[in-house]
Amino acid sequence: MLHLRMIVPPDRTRAAVEVIESTVGTTHLVVLPGAARDPSGDVVMCDVAREAGDELLKGLRGLRIDQDGSIAVENIELSLSTRADHAEKEAPGEPADAVIWEQLTGATHEESTLSITYSAFMILATMIAACGVVLDNAILIVGAMAVGPEFGPLAGVCTAVVQRAPKLAARSLYALLVGFAAAIVATTVFSLGMDALDLFSRDRLDAPRPNTSFIWQPDPFSFVVALLAGIAGMLSLTSSKSGALVGVAISVTTVPAGANAAVALSYGEFGQMWGSIEQLLLNLFGIMLAGVLTLYGQKLLWRTQRGHWRRAPGARKEN
């Protein structure tokens, strides 16, 4: 269930209430006339099944409540209510299959903004991966993958393509490209410093590395894994299963590829560097392609499910 709290201009309160009451899966409607002060208006609250959340938000935005008032959405972790149980049964589909597009856009907007924190995580993850590359240590590589924040901008690009949001796409691509560029430059300097301290060496980079040599040697499996990771990542975001993102992060070699490119660049090993960049681009493209196709697939599936439900006998009619 989702909880909506709105500040509604008084002249649109009746219309907002009608939209809420006509949407299948809503309950616990509360109207507090004149309770809001900034901006002034009526406070309207309700709970809605996740399956009906996107439709309700579209209806409320059609009344321009988001522009002249406000709409806040929260996930309800626990709701002890028989009426809420009925509302969820009335709503079509399953909660895990529903996509709240406004929520997804908002989440990816926040995660795809180039910030000091995002850049710091990207640089630190790449430096950790650089240590793993030189030491041929798979544990460090996995740790670097988990630390890397690059899936946020990747999800932002996918969402922007499906939602036709050019500003979000530009912001996400900017964060992705600048983040990786800064991380590779910083890690190249880091590698030179570690070499000066005799902690990194060309011999270690050129030595057989059975645990990490795949990073700069892309093959068809690299693209297949990137596709699968892109699907899993988008499903985890749209279904609010954030724990799955950790698995996605440690299944693709984006950050390690950037790290290997940086270390190879510091030693003038251009063959390894270009192989690493190819691996990086292959993974990024695979994740974005799979993410876009997954979102389009979810949109089509959800439309099909709603169409079947509306045509089913006994389905509640909507105004």
Side-chain angles (χ1 to χ4, degrees):
M1 294 288 289
L2 301 174
H3 176 69
L4 272 66
R5 186 186 70 252
M6 294 154 279
I7 297 178
V8 184
D11 62 327
R12 273 166 272 178
T13 300
R14 168 175 275 185
V17 170
E18 289 177 354
V19 169
I20 294 170
E21 291 180 335
S22 66
T23 302
V24 175
T26 57
T27 186
H28 303 155
L29 176 61
V30 177
V31 180
L32 303 175
R37 293 292 179 267
D38 184 20
S40 61
D42 302 333
V43 174
V44 179
M45 296 179 285
C46 71
D47 295 341
V48 60
R50 182 178 175 84
E51 307 93 296
D54 191 61
E55 181 179 351
L56 179 57
L57 287 172
K58 286 181 180 177
L60 295 171
R61 292 195 69 183
L63 298 174
R64 299 171 60 89
I65 294 174
D66 57 316
Q67 298 181 31
D68 301 325
S70 74
I71 304 174
V73 182
E74 299 173 342
N75 287 313
I76 299 177
E77 300 297 334
L78 177 64
S79 179
L80 302 178
S81 167
T82 302
R83 181 65 192 96
D85 294 338
H86 289 323
E88 288 193 321
K89 290 179 181 178
E90 290 174 353
E94 295 295 330
D97 296 333
V99 180
I100 311 299
W101 292 99
E102 298 292 344
Q103 190 178 55
L104 179 62
T105 302
T108 52
H109 179 278
E110 180 180 351
E111 294 295 327
S112 61
T113 301
L114 184 65
S115 63
I116 295 176
T117 301
Y118 168 83
S119 301
F121 272 116
M122 183 67 79
I123 291 171
L124 291 172
T126 309
M127 288 180 176
I128 293 172
C131 295
V133 163
V134 174
L135 297 175
D136 193 35
N137 189 313
I139 295 177
L140 291 177
I141 296 296
V142 171
M145 290 176 174
V147 172
E150 74 278 8
F151 192 79
L154 288 169
V157 172
C158 298
T159 303
V161 171
V162 176
Q163 292 293 86
R164 298 179 182 178
K167 290 184 179 180
L168 176 59
R171 181 185 297 108
S172 301
L173 285 173
Y174 180 72
L176 190 67
L177 297 177
V178 174
F180 268 109
I184 290 174
V185 170
T187 304
T188 301
V189 175
F190 172 75
S191 178
L192 292 172
M194 293 292 280
D195 180 76
L197 296 173
D198 202 26
L199 296 175
F200 282 9
S201 67
R202 182 190 293 267
D203 291 339
R204 284 187 169 185
L205 183 67
D206 293 336
R209 290 183 282 143
N211 293 321
T212 58
S213 61
F214 69 94
I215 292 173
W216 61 278
Q217 296 174 338
D219 56 31
F221 280 104
S222 301
F223 188 65
V224 171
V225 171
L227 289 175
L228 296 176
I231 295 172
M234 293 313 303
L235 288 176
S236 69
L237 284 180
T238 57
S239 62
S240 299
K241 304 294 183 183
S242 58
L245 280 177
V246 177
V248 173
I250 62 177
S251 61
V252 291
T253 54
T254 49
V255 166
N260 200 88
V263 177
L265 176 61
S266 69
Y267 286 114
E269 295 281 351
F270 297 112
Q272 279 202 40
M273 183 191 74
W274 289 118
S276 301
I277 292 176
E278 183 180 350
Q279 178 80 275
L280 173 61
L281 295 177
L282 190 67
N283 276 267
L284 294 178
F285 175 72
I287 292 172
M288 288 190 285
L289 175 62
V292 169
L293 294 178
T294 299
L295 289 179
Y296 272 123
Q298 286 182 291
K299 180 175 282 191
L300 178 61
L301 176 63
W302 190 247
R303 285 178 179 173
T304 303
Q305 287 183 340
R306 290 194 64 83
H308 289 164
W309 177 84
R310 283 172 175 161
R311 292 190 296 270
R316 180 174 150 188
K317 292 183 180 180
E318 301 176 42
N319 296 329

